[in-house]
Amino acid sequence: MTKEQLLAMSADDYMNADQLEFFTQLLQAMKVDTHERIEQSRITIESLDTPSDPADVASVEEERHWLVNGIERDQRLLPQLEMALGRIGDDSFGWCEDSGEAIGLQRLLISPTTKYCIEAQERHEQIGRHQRQI
C-alpha cells in the first residue's frame, strides 16, 4: 500500500488491518535504517584520524561531535520505535493516549512514533516549557 492509498481510505476505516500493516512495515524499516545509521556512524568515527595540523584537528573533532550526537539521537529513537510497534500489537496505535481520539493518518505519516493528537502534544509541550521555567 502506498501513502496515497492509505490517505485515500475512508475515515470509517481508521486503523484497519491494512493501515496497521502499513505502519508496521514503516516502523520496521525505520528500525533497520536507524541501526544501519548507528553502525555507519560508528565505523566513520573509528576511521577518523587525528591530523597533525591544529585547524584539521578542530574539523575532525567537530565531525566526531556531529556523529556522536547523531548516534545518541538514533539510540533515543529505537525505544520509541519499539513502543510504537507495541502499540500496534495492543491495538492502541493511532489513538491519543490522553484523549483516546484518533491521531490522524497524516500526523502518523510525519511522526509514526507519536502517541498524542496535536492538541495533547501541544499541552504536553506547554507543561514542559512551564516546568523548565520553574
Side-chain angles (χ1 to χ4, degrees):
M1 173 183 308
T2 66
K3 290 179 184 181
E4 293 76 21
Q5 291 170 322
L6 179 81
L7 293 172
M9 293 180 132
S10 165
D12 294 336
D13 288 336
Y14 188 70
M15 286 301 117
N16 65 27
D18 290 336
Q19 292 174 349
L20 291 172
E21 179 60 26
F22 175 89
F23 284 107
T24 298
Q25 290 178 9
L26 176 64
L27 291 162
Q28 291 288 3
M30 289 175 70
K31 267 181 54 177
V32 169
D33 291 345
T34 303
H35 280 292
E36 288 174 356
R37 261 194 324 272
I38 290 170
E39 185 59 27
Q40 187 57 50
S41 293
R42 286 184 175 150
I43 290 168
T44 303
I45 288 171
E46 290 172 6
S47 72
L48 291 175
D49 290 330
T50 305
S52 56
D53 182 4
D56 291 339
V57 169
S59 289
V60 168
E61 284 307 311
E62 183 175 356
E63 183 176 358
R64 186 174 285 126
H65 174 76
W66 282 104
L67 289 165
V68 168
N69 283 346
I71 290 171
E72 290 172 353
R73 182 182 57 250
D74 284 339
Q75 287 176 328
R76 286 189 305 271
L77 177 60
L78 288 171
Q80 294 175 19
L81 293 168
E82 286 296 334
M83 288 187 291
L85 288 165
R87 288 193 299 277
I88 288 174
D90 69 16
D91 292 327
S92 63
F93 182 84
W95 303 98
C96 179
E97 281 190 6
D98 283 359
S99 67
E101 294 182 22
I103 292 172
L105 295 174
Q106 288 194 341
R107 179 162 168 73
L108 288 168
L109 284 170
I110 293 167
S111 180
T113 60
T114 192
K115 46 189 180 175
Y116 302 115
C117 63
I118 291 174
E119 294 81 14
Q121 182 68 40
E122 288 172 351
R123 203 170 34 258
H124 282 272
E125 288 172 4
Q126 286 176 342
I127 291 168
R129 280 192 298 272
H130 177 71
Q131 289 175 342
R132 283 191 298 272
Q133 291 174 353
I134 295 177

